Coordinates of all heavy atoms in Angstrom, one line a residue:
E31 N 6.3 -50.9 -9.8 CA 6.9 -50.2 -8.7 C 8.0 -49.2 -9.2 O 8.0 -48.0 -8.7 CB 7.6 -51.2 -7.7 CG 6.6 -52.1 -7.0 CD 5.7 -51.3 -6.1 OE1 6.1 -50.3 -5.5 OE2 4.5 -51.7 -6.0
L32 N 8.7 -49.5 -10.2 CA 9.7 -48.6 -10.9 C 9.0 -47.4 -11.5 O 9.4 -46.3 -11.4 CB 10.6 -49.3 -11.9 CG 11.5 -50.4 -11.3 CD1 12.2 -51.1 -12.5 CD2 12.6 -49.7 -10.5
I33 N 7.9 -47.8 -12.2 CA 7.1 -46.7 -12.9 C 6.5 -45.8 -11.9 O 6.6 -44.6 -12.0 CB 6.0 -47.4 -13.7 CG1 6.6 -48.2 -14.9 CG2 4.9 -46.4 -14.2 CD1 5.6 -49.1 -15.6
R34 N 6.0 -46.3 -10.8 CA 5.4 -45.5 -9.8 C 6.4 -44.5 -9.1 O 6.2 -43.4 -8.8 CB 4.7 -46.3 -8.7 CG 3.4 -47.0 -9.2 CD 2.7 -47.8 -8.1 NE 2.5 -47.1 -6.9 CZ 1.5 -46.2 -6.7 NH1 0.7 -45.8 -7.7 NH2 1.4 -45.6 -5.5
Y35 N 7.6 -45.1 -8.9 CA 8.7 -44.2 -8.3 C 9.0 -43.1 -9.2 O 9.1 -41.9 -8.8 CB 10.0 -45.1 -8.1 CG 11.1 -44.3 -7.5 CD1 11.1 -44.1 -6.1 CD2 12.1 -43.7 -8.3 CE1 12.2 -43.4 -5.5 CE2 13.1 -43.0 -7.7 CZ 13.2 -42.9 -6.3 OH 14.2 -42.1 -5.7
S36 N 9.1 -43.3 -10.5 CA 9.4 -42.3 -11.5 C 8.2 -41.3 -11.6 O 8.4 -40.1 -11.6 CB 9.6 -43.0 -12.9 OG 9.9 -42.0 -13.8
L37 N 7.0 -41.8 -11.5 CA 5.8 -40.9 -11.6 C 5.7 -40.0 -10.3 O 5.3 -38.8 -10.4 CB 4.5 -41.7 -11.7 CG 4.3 -42.3 -13.1 CD1 3.1 -43.3 -13.0 CD2 4.0 -41.3 -14.1
K38 N 6.1 -40.5 -9.2 CA 6.1 -39.7 -8.0 C 7.1 -38.6 -8.0 O 6.9 -37.5 -7.6 CB 6.4 -40.6 -6.7 CG 5.2 -41.5 -6.4 CD 5.4 -42.4 -5.2 CE 4.2 -43.2 -4.9 NZ 4.4 -44.2 -3.9
E39 N 8.3 -38.9 -8.7 CA 9.2 -37.8 -8.9 C 8.7 -36.7 -9.8 O 8.9 -35.5 -9.6 CB 10.6 -38.4 -9.4 CG 11.4 -39.0 -8.4 CD 12.8 -39.3 -8.8 OE1 13.1 -39.2 -10.0 OE2 13.6 -39.7 -8.0
Q40 N 8.0 -37.2 -10.9 CA 7.4 -36.2 -11.8 C 6.3 -35.4 -11.1 O 6.2 -34.2 -11.3 CB 6.7 -37.0 -13.0 CG 7.8 -37.4 -14.0 CD 7.1 -38.1 -15.2 OE1 6.2 -38.9 -15.0 NE2 7.6 -37.8 -16.3
E41 N 5.5 -36.1 -10.2 CA 4.5 -35.4 -9.4 C 5.1 -34.3 -8.6 O 4.6 -33.2 -8.5 CB 3.7 -36.4 -8.6 CG 2.6 -35.8 -7.8 CD 1.9 -36.9 -7.0 OE1 2.5 -37.7 -6.3 OE2 0.6 -36.9 -7.0
E42 N 6.2 -34.6 -7.9 CA 6.9 -33.6 -7.1 C 7.4 -32.5 -7.9 O 7.3 -31.3 -7.5 CB 8.1 -34.3 -6.3 CG 7.7 -35.3 -5.3 CD 8.9 -36.0 -4.7 OE1 10.1 -35.6 -4.9 OE2 8.6 -37.0 -4.0
A43 N 8.0 -32.8 -9.1 CA 8.5 -31.7 -9.9 C 7.3 -30.8 -10.4 O 7.4 -29.6 -10.4 CB 9.2 -32.3 -11.1
L44 N 6.2 -31.4 -10.8 CA 5.0 -30.6 -11.2 C 4.4 -29.8 -10.1 O 4.0 -28.7 -10.3 CB 4.0 -31.6 -11.8 CG 4.3 -32.1 -13.2 CD1 3.5 -33.4 -13.5 CD2 4.2 -31.1 -14.3
D45 N 4.5 -30.4 -8.9 CA 4.0 -29.6 -7.7 C 4.8 -28.4 -7.5 O 4.3 -27.4 -6.9 CB 4.0 -30.5 -6.5 CG 2.9 -31.5 -6.5 OD1 1.9 -31.4 -7.3 OD2 3.0 -32.5 -5.6
K46 N 6.0 -28.4 -7.8 CA 6.9 -27.2 -7.7 C 6.8 -26.3 -8.9 O 7.0 -25.1 -8.8 CB 8.3 -27.6 -7.4 CG 8.4 -28.3 -6.0 CD 9.8 -28.8 -5.7 CE 9.8 -29.5 -4.4 NZ 11.1 -30.2 -4.1
L47 N 6.7 -26.9 -10.1 CA 6.7 -26.1 -11.3 C 5.4 -25.4 -11.6 O 5.5 -24.2 -12.0 CB 7.0 -27.1 -12.5 CG 7.0 -26.5 -13.9 CD1 8.1 -25.4 -14.0 CD2 7.3 -27.6 -14.9
I48 N 4.3 -26.0 -11.3 CA 3.0 -25.3 -11.6 C 2.8 -24.0 -10.9 O 2.4 -23.0 -11.5 CB 1.8 -26.3 -11.4 CG1 1.9 -27.4 -12.5 CG2 0.5 -25.6 -11.4 CD1 0.9 -28.5 -12.4
P49 N 3.1 -23.9 -9.6 CA 3.0 -22.6 -8.9 C 3.9 -21.5 -9.5 O 3.5 -20.4 -9.6 CB 3.4 -22.9 -7.5 CG 3.1 -24.3 -7.3 CD 3.4 -25.0 -8.6
L50 N 5.1 -21.9 -10.0 CA 6.0 -20.9 -10.6 C 5.4 -20.4 -11.9 O 5.4 -19.3 -12.3 CB 7.4 -21.6 -10.9 CG 8.2 -21.9 -9.8 CD1 9.5 -22.7 -10.2 CD2 8.6 -20.6 -9.0
L51 N 4.8 -21.3 -12.7 CA 4.1 -21.0 -13.9 C 2.9 -20.1 -13.7 O 2.6 -19.2 -14.5 CB 3.8 -22.2 -14.8 CG 5.0 -23.1 -15.2 CD1 4.5 -24.3 -15.9 CD2 5.9 -22.3 -16.0
E52 N 2.1 -20.4 -12.7 CA 0.9 -19.7 -12.3 C 1.3 -18.3 -11.9 O 0.6 -17.3 -12.2 CB 0.1 -20.4 -11.2 CG -0.6 -21.6 -11.7 CD -1.2 -22.4 -10.6 OE1 -0.8 -22.3 -9.4 OE2 -2.2 -23.2 -10.9
A53 N 2.4 -18.1 -11.2 CA 2.8 -16.8 -10.6 C 3.3 -15.9 -11.7 O 3.2 -14.7 -11.6 CB 3.9 -17.0 -9.6
D54 N 3.9 -16.5 -12.8 CA 4.4 -15.6 -13.9 C 3.6 -16.0 -15.2 O 3.9 -17.0 -15.8 CB 5.9 -15.9 -14.0 CG 6.6 -14.7 -14.7 OD1 5.9 -14.0 -15.4 OD2 7.8 -14.6 -14.5
S55 N 2.7 -15.1 -15.5 CA 1.8 -15.5 -16.7 C 2.6 -15.4 -18.0 O 2.1 -15.9 -19.0 CB 0.6 -14.5 -16.7 OG 1.0 -13.2 -16.9
D56 N 3.7 -14.8 -18.1 CA 4.5 -14.7 -19.3 C 5.7 -15.5 -19.3 O 6.6 -15.2 -18.5 CB 4.8 -13.2 -19.6 CG 5.4 -13.0 -21.0 OD1 5.5 -13.9 -21.8 OD2 5.8 -11.8 -21.3
L57 N 5.8 -16.5 -20.1 CA 6.9 -17.5 -20.1 C 8.2 -16.7 -20.4 O 9.3 -17.1 -19.8 CB 6.7 -18.6 -21.1 CG 7.8 -19.7 -21.2 CD1 7.9 -20.4 -19.8 CD2 7.4 -20.7 -22.2
S58 N 8.2 -15.7 -21.2 CA 9.4 -15.0 -21.6 C 10.0 -14.3 -20.4 O 11.2 -14.0 -20.4 CB 9.2 -14.1 -22.8 OG 8.2 -13.1 -22.4
K59 N 9.2 -14.0 -19.4 CA 9.8 -13.3 -18.2 C 10.3 -14.2 -17.2 O 10.9 -13.8 -16.2 CB 8.7 -12.4 -17.6 CG 8.3 -11.2 -18.5 CD 7.2 -10.4 -17.9 CE 6.8 -9.3 -18.8 NZ 5.6 -8.6 -18.3
L60 N 10.0 -15.5 -17.3 CA 10.4 -16.5 -16.4 C 11.8 -17.1 -16.8 O 12.0 -17.5 -17.9 CB 9.4 -17.7 -16.4 CG 9.5 -18.7 -15.3 CD1 9.4 -18.1 -13.9 CD2 8.4 -19.7 -15.4
A61 N 12.8 -17.0 -15.9 CA 14.1 -17.4 -16.2 C 14.2 -18.9 -16.4 O 13.6 -19.6 -15.5 CB 15.1 -17.0 -15.1
L62 N 14.8 -19.4 -17.4 CA 14.9 -20.8 -17.6 C 15.6 -21.5 -16.5 O 15.2 -22.6 -16.1 CB 15.7 -21.1 -18.9 CG 15.9 -22.6 -19.3 CD1 14.5 -23.3 -19.5 CD2 16.7 -22.7 -20.6
D63 N 16.6 -20.9 -15.9 CA 17.3 -21.5 -14.7 C 16.3 -21.7 -13.5 O 16.6 -22.6 -12.7 CB 18.4 -20.6 -14.3 CG 19.6 -20.7 -15.2 OD1 19.7 -21.6 -16.0 OD2 20.5 -19.7 -15.2
E64 N 15.3 -21.0 -13.5 CA 14.3 -21.1 -12.4 C 13.5 -22.4 -12.5 O 13.1 -23.0 -11.5 CB 13.4 -19.9 -12.3 CG 12.6 -19.7 -11.1 CD 11.9 -18.4 -11.0 OE1 12.1 -17.5 -11.8 OE2 11.0 -18.3 -10.1

Side-chain angles (χ1 to χ4, degrees):
E31 292 298 324
L32 293 172
I33 292 167
R34 289 180 52 75
Y35 182 83
S36 183
L37 287 169
K38 285 178 184 176
E39 283 192 349
Q40 285 181 316
E41 182 179 48
E42 289 173 14
L44 287 163
D45 286 346
K46 293 176 183 171
L47 179 60
I48 289 174
L50 291 173
L51 299 176
E52 288 173 336
D54 203 336
S55 62
D56 187 4
L57 183 59
S58 62
K59 294 179 183 175
L60 192 59
L62 181 60
D63 286 341
E64 195 173 349

